[in-house]
Amino acid sequence: MVCGNLNPTQHTRKRWAQYKKMGKIRGIIIECGVSIEAEATTTISWLLDIDPKNSKALGDSSQALSFNHRINLIKDIKGITSEQSAKLQKFMEIRNKFAHIKKIQSFQNLFDWNKETKGIKTKLEQWYSDKIKPQDDQEEYFLHLFF
């Protein structure tokens, strides 16, 4: 569960519930991505003793490291395992699809998009099916994989 480790605040959980109620899974995915990227920045700054506010690499300018680069850097300095890195990479794929393809409004849209995205569903089920029980509501099921 990618976002489950972030211990979101009650306010954040309420916002996620509002997004879901409105059928806006995209908002939840983007919100989760922003939270994970912030945690990656905090982790790198702690591991390397860098002040992110005064860092070009960890800042928020166009010169800063991308989300993907931050995760790879943490992996390279042994901050996460290969499996954790693979899960984050898969989450980044999901986030990018929701962020950049207007027609992807649900997990079902995502999985039906193309052969590559069908593989995302398979991987998520492989990693998490023993932890989360399938539900009739597929959107709810896949949201639970992250929260």
Side-chain angles (χ1 to χ4, degrees):
M1 290 182 232
V2 176
C3 276
N5 296 332
L6 295 179
N7 296 322
T9 64
Q10 186 175 8
H11 176 72
T12 301
R13 286 185 190 279
K14 187 182 256 187
R15 204 166 48 238
W16 290 343
Q18 290 169 340
Y19 284 138
K20 185 180 177 301
K21 189 175 182 182
M22 295 184 308
K24 301 206 179 216
I25 303 300
R26 175 189 309 258
I28 298 171
I29 300 299
I30 300 299
E31 185 84 28
C32 188
V34 169
S35 295
I36 293 170
E37 190 166 0
E39 289 297 318
T41 300
T42 300
T43 300
I44 293 168
S45 63
W46 178 77
L47 288 169
L48 300 178
D49 195 25
I50 297 172
D51 178 4
K53 293 177 186 156
N54 297 317
S55 170
K56 281 189 177 187
L58 299 178
D60 56 9
S61 74
S62 61
Q63 298 174 0
L65 294 172
S66 70
F67 185 13
N68 185 44
H69 289 120
R70 291 173 200 224
I71 297 303
N72 286 333
L73 180 59
I74 294 170
K75 181 179 178 232
D76 287 347
I77 55 180
K78 309 293 188 248
I80 58 175
T81 67
S82 292
E83 182 177 344
Q84 290 168 325
S85 175
K87 289 176 180 180
L88 287 166
Q89 294 293 336
K90 200 56 66 183
F91 173 76
M92 284 186 273
E93 289 177 40
I94 293 168
R95 185 206 61 163
N96 286 343
K97 297 295 186 210
F98 274 95
H100 299 290
I101 302 173
K102 183 172 176 51
K103 289 185 178 183
I104 295 181
Q105 298 287 326
S106 68
F107 283 103
Q108 194 59 54
N109 295 148
L110 173 71
F111 302 144
D112 291 342
W113 190 252
N114 61 31
K115 186 177 179 181
E116 174 193 342
T117 60
K118 279 183 177 54
I120 292 172
K121 179 179 182 181
T122 303
K123 204 64 172 161
L124 291 176
E125 290 176 333
Q126 178 186 6
W127 283 328
Y128 299 115
S129 63
D130 63 327
K131 295 172 182 61
I132 306 273
K133 295 184 184 195
Q135 301 174 3
D136 291 334
D137 181 349
Q138 286 291 302
E139 296 305 306
E140 186 74 22
Y141 172 67
F142 286 103
L143 275 175
H144 280 287
L145 295 180
F146 293 108
F147 310 112

